[in-house]
Amino acid sequence: MKTGLQCAHWIRRGASRRAIWALAILALAAASLAMRRTRHGSQYWASVYARRRYFNPVDLKLSPHGRRLYVACEGRNEVLAIDTRTRSVIAAIPVGRHPKALALSADGRKLYAANSWSQTVSEIDTRKLQVTRTLPAGWGPEGMAIDAAGRFLYVANALGNDISILRLSSGREISRLSSGHFPEFAARIQGRPWIAIANLLAQPGPADQSPVDQLTLINTATRQVARRILIPDAIQMRHIAQASPRHGGELLIPYLQPHNLVPLITLRHDWYAGNGLAIVQLKGGRPRVREVLLDNLDRAYANGFGAAVALHTPWALITASGADRVSILNLDKLNHFLNTAPVELTRRLDAARHFIVRRLPTGHDPTAVVAGDHFAYIANRADDTITIVDLDRLVIAGTIALGGRQPLTAKRRGQQLFFSAGHSNYGELACATCHPDEGFEDGLVWSFEVPHLGQDIVENKTLLAIRGTSPFKWNGLNPNLATQDGPRTAMYIFRSQGFSPRQVQDLVTYINARRLPPNPYLEPGGRLTAEQARGRELFFRTNTNTGAFIPVKDRCYTCHAPLTHYTSRVLMNVGTATAEDNVQAFKVPSLEGIYMRPPYLHNGEAKTLEEIWTKFNPHDQHGITSDMNKEQLNELIDFLKTL
Amino acid sequence: MKFVTKTQSNRIVRWAAGALAGMAMAVSVVPAGAQSAACVPRPSRARLEAMRYANMPAQAFPFGRYIKPYALWYVQPDTLAYDGAARSLPTPDWRKLPAINLGFLGPLQPEYANAAYGMAMLRGAELALAEANAHGGYHGKPFALKIHNDKPLWGASAIEIVRMRYRQQVWGMLGSVNGASTHIALRAALKIQLPIVDTATTDPTVTETRIPWLLHNFPDDRQQGYALADYIFNHLHLQHVAILRVNARYGRLGDKVFFNTARRLGAQPSVVVKFAPYETNFTRPLRELQRLGMDGLVLWANARQAGLIVRQMRAMGMHQPVFGSSRVAYPALLKTAGASADGLVAVSAIDPTRLSAKWLRFRLRYTRRFHTAPDAYAAYAYDGMNMLITAIRQAGLNRARIMGALKHYALHSYRGVSGTAFFDYTLNNIAPVTMARVEKGHFIYWPERRSDWRANTWPGCLAAAGR
Amino acid sequence: MNSHAYDFSMHSMLRRLGAGVLLAVGLLGAATAQTPPLYTRWINYTPANGFPAGEVYSVAIQGAKVWAGTEHGLALIENGQVQKVFTRDDGLAGYAVMSVAVDHATGAVWVGALGGLSRYSGGKFTHYTVLSSGLANDLVYNVAVRGHYVWAATAAGVSRLNIWTHTWRIYSVLGQPSAPFKEPWAYALSIGPHKAYMGLWGGGVVTYDLRQHTWRPYLDPDGSAEIVLYRNQGLISNMVSSLAHGPQSNTFWAGTYFGLSGYDGTRWHNYLRQDSGLASNFINGVTLEGRRVWAATQRGLCEFDPATHIWVTYRPANWRALDSGSAARLGRGEILITDPHGRQRKLETASSIAHNYILSLAFQGRDIWVATAAGLSHGFASPSRRIHYDDQNRLQPHARPAYARH
């Protein structure tokens, strides 16, 4: 048996270099494995600099005693544990892909991370700081809450538009409830047996009506939907905070008030969207919804995101991810204002001055916020930092840096620009205002003014996976992203000087890197089900059911060419133009990820994929489909949803 | 348990008597208020009881040669019994209604098959309605037709009857041509209690459902199948026939009746060939049939495809007689087949060449109004709409009572422009059909004379039909 | 050989033992033979107490809530009061509500209407129609929920929605694999743990094995709508309007417009008005409650016990007058009891079911809810009012079971 000295001698003697390399690799692998389970202290920092990805912290949870802060970092697929006394990261726990949300058991022993791209929930033992179980969830789990008894975990599945109920003892999903459109945020309601789910997007509705978002309340005793509260003129409801009983116990939810159906020519000197706060008052038998704007007259606080209430203070904190600010509300003043002011006054654009007491700067793209007894913590997604707010003095008390690559990459700079409203008039909107969640679409139909009032009403499109699908716009007039994001955005959207050429390039780099989440309609390994495979045959068919030859121009794959992201990138007239349209031919959209982005057609007339053909293809101009039976149409759609 | 009651055994005896007696087609009185119907003495009860379901030949009765069935349907007076509550629904004040709405469901878009039939049907219904309104409508209120297109794509027309009933408050409806559409409407009608007068489908199963909300006056595939089988096997004494039929519901159901009747007559068709509704080249199946040496061909298809088949088979040197269903006997056959069609015999729903004053007057009015000659679909729709209007005038604005008025036609006749209809207990018109033969590029018509009429020839039939 | 003999012997012993037990149970039963309690008291929901007018097509129970599908919307009854009537203005997909099914796991109420399928959850409706979803047709006659599948019987086949994956499947002749549907018009559904039973109007009963993905059609064997060749020939008619599957796989009862058919997995048991206590051959609905079969006919609500072959029919005493459309008002109720020997006893109750034309029924504990052509009826069982019969299933003439003076 060789000793260490003998080994060194053996090495010096020039023993096989291959053996040395093998040993070194083995050692590295072992170390890597060890670090994958948990990385503590200095190991953590070593790993930070060894890797190139940013953290993108998106959710926070504070331990019951307030000594530990947990951070979900979707960019790194990790949950960080931070010691709030030392303000340092003590562990990084690898979880599934794109963890979006955290939930903590009442005793603080179990932490759950919703892995939105893995369709799972990681259960973490907070003493060992290790993942102990991986639980199944629905499609795109992005929000979570645990019931009061700690027996069931409610998971909001953004892509599935539903809520999974997991029995924590067995780790099995026992039920799945329908939610609104794109549920992303969940919270347990104190004093009521309810879990509240906020839906990011409005249900696709009539094109000439304002969007209506939905807050879904689930009764934790029956584990059934107790109520669906409709929030009018609202989309993008985010985090749910609850005031203390002393302050009314109402729910506070930041959201967006889009003015999408008002011809924007009338709003040139005004605003595209207001940033509001929905206040759901729970007193009495029937919840009542009040709404106030959080903007100032001269400055918008774009893209309200996080919400938290400091229990022993009158403060509520609302982050504005586009403004890089946190607004601090005085709940006493807010309640007084709501209870005494006439309704007309509560709806005024300057209503916020009655209850906002402070606007504090944060890092780039502040998202989640949690409040302890004396401090609140804000996750800055595009900064990889945690901002600490002193709740006693209402000042910034410090910042915790999570690390991340330096200097910033072009993509990172583009990300910061994407979420920032600082380049728009009055700081009114960011790219992320209409393309939330890093490039998704808001599901709305917008009435732009160009060139005539109330014409060319178009549906917003996704920015995910758009690389290689130019030209852009419904009429294909923008040849590339740089044109789209540069002068056009500056002139018609931001109404400002816009971005510098370098910034445009950074932004384009960022947008081009946006990817679609894994498609839940695909079976593991990308296999197609029998129905999907038959749908694929229909997609590529060359003859109708009656045997008639389908001209090349009328085949699905001609315009939606698979090799070019299912778009031929040309303009086509498919008979969907209306009296409001100034052109008859529209750019062929990509079909990738189409399952997750209703409504459809250039003007969003089709609320579902079925309607594209059942309602808006009466003369077979949008492919020959009238010979199909309903079974075939279903199968074709089954296939399209896998793209 | 023996629950065969005296009543039941009597029924079996009566059925057997009916089977032996053959067709006891009775000319009868019409219901009160049926203004245009014939008025002849009501036959005896025994004679009515002998009346069998669907005018079925004794030989065609299922298992008739072997066994008495445990139970018989459609031969009881309460076949379409309705014990629901709709008769008690309050009648609205007609004075407050702008019009008395009636529904229409038929294929109207030119690109759909059967649109020609649907358009003719619509014109017939409109003429009836216009004339009814000219005669005072309903207490002075006009009847209004709510027209709904029977659009097969995506099953969209299924909901039309519901819209008629709830959005437009129709009191009854006409439709449709397509058997499946009519079935779907009928099923909905049972639930929403809406009388349907079906004037166009040949689907024999719509009257088999026992849904007490439908009257059917167009000669169905049963009548056509029995007539053709009798003509082919009992008159011409052919033995080996083949069936060529369109692979659609129309062909499937027609083929079934003819096939079963032929089988029970001892001449089971040797071959049944199906072809697609869009098929234009029939060379291959015809070649097979040529090889088999058939005595004759029976076509259950539309006129155009029938014309192509006849033309192609004559070109191949096949000279067997050809027979067809009612949709074959249309001008499109003559146009497509040309001289090849000579000798073809088909069932016709109507004899447009007859000299009945009623028919001639109708043809004149129709032609003046629409600048085209009426066909069978127009004539039956005209009659059906008149029956519906009469029932409404008689029963008032209560759908169940309107249907009740229509039910009085059971075992009664109705003399209309299409001929004299006679209804069995399922409210199906079982009057004899018309036959047509192509001679020198024209159809020559004659009334069906089935071989099993010997004992009970219906003396009133021809007279009632206005010949 | 020895083992075979031993097995045979054991089998024989078990059989004897089983027969003995059955005999003992039978004797015990004969000594105290009585049917379940009769429903002697009725409360009716009609337009007079806020219930929608017209026919009531369906009824479903969700705990204390009673949902009724009516000609003019979906009615909710709770605590003896009509709480709400949902119409198209409230978001219902269609007009007349044909069927209601409760998803007890999620609390959602699924509504099949002439106009599409709706889900009611959390106070809001969501629509599914043929044009906007994978639903086969907008005429939805029946809806059923099992697991995370919602089944809908439509005028163009059976649709199944997976509420977890949001995918639709259509079971029809045009589907793949093609369903052996003689006709596409699905009317009835009964979903078991391993089998889906589908009743087709004109197409008989078709079962679909959910594990093996295999079909089995049950059709009228004589193939002719106009006759019933033999009494227990098979399915009595292809015009199936309703279905209820039994606890054992492959057992079911089918209501048709031509009588009642039961299949015990091996043999058929058919009942007509002519040969049994069935009130009418025109059956709108069939429901199983334990071993008892309930048939909703147009001439009364029939209860049939296959073990005793005793039939009980509930209807208004003056039902013929009601049917005639005259101004007759609902009066006393009638209970008609028929034993297998043809003996009948007629009893009267002070209150009556709302109408003789019955469309469906559901049980809420011991209570029964009945959808009729003229309102929804809530029936209460009288524990002391039972039918007594002897070991030959003959009604006992001296028993005074059911005359109720409620």
Side-chain angles (χ1 to χ4, degrees), chain A residues 328-370:
Chain A
I328 300 178
L329 290 70
N330 184 318
L331 289 172
D332 292 330
K333 289 185 176 181
L334 177 64
N335 284 331
H336 178 74
F337 176 66
L338 290 175
N339 294 335
T340 58
V343 175
E344 297 75 28
L345 188 60
T346 64
R347 289 177 180 168
R348 278 177 57 138
L349 303 180
D350 61 348
R353 64 191 171 88
H354 294 281
F355 48 84
I356 297 278
V357 294
R358 200 68 60 91
R359 310 267 196 187
L360 298 176
T362 63
H364 283 298
D365 187 17
T367 53
V369 54
V370 289

Side-chain angles (χ1 to χ4, degrees), chain A residues 436-462:
Chain A
D437 280 21
E438 301 193 84
F440 205 66
E441 62 183 57
D442 60 10
L444 298 184
V445 174
W446 288 85
S447 175
F448 286 91
E449 82 281 14
V450 183
H452 303 294
L453 181 69
Q455 296 208 350
D456 286 335
I457 296 171
V458 291
E459 192 246 343
N460 187 4
K461 298 293 180 197
T462 184

Side-chain angles (χ1 to χ4, degrees), chain B residues 149-200:
Chain B
N149 183 22
D150 185 356
K151 183 181 173 187
L153 188 61
W154 315 124
S157 61
I159 203 68
E160 296 300 327
I161 181 175
V162 185
R163 289 184 178 141
M164 276 183 211
R165 167 70 176 78
Y166 289 104
R167 282 192 193 170
Q168 298 168 331
Q169 296 293 321
V170 301
W171 298 98
M173 66 164 276
L174 247 63
S176 178
V177 176
N178 182 285
S181 294
T182 309
H183 265 291
I184 289 171
L186 181 58
R187 275 142 185 71
L190 170 63
K191 298 296 182 184
I192 61 179
Q193 304 147 16
L194 182 68
I196 298 178
V197 175
D198 176 41
T199 66

Side-chain angles (χ1 to χ4, degrees), chain A residues 105-120:
Chain A
S105 63
D107 60 5
R109 291 185 177 179
K110 297 286 183 189
L111 180 70
Y112 298 90
N115 307 312
S116 64
W117 281 29
S118 303
Q119 336 292 14
T120 59

Side-chain angles (χ1 to χ4, degrees), chain B residues 7-8 15 28 45 47 56-57 90 117 127 129 153 209 311 313 320 323-324 328 382 399 402 408-409 425 436 449-450:
Chain B
T7 312
Q8 189 185 6
W15 166 77
S28 60
R45 182 73 190 169
R47 202 173 176 82
M56 183 184 290
Y117 309 139
L127 181 61
L129 217 64
L153 188 61
T209 59
R311 196 174 70 188
M313 68 181 282
Q320 291 94 335
F323 310 93
V328 172
Y382 179 84
R399 295 179 182 88
I402 293 166
H408 285 137
Y409 286 106
Y425 284 125
R449 288 195 185 89
R450 251 176 32 201

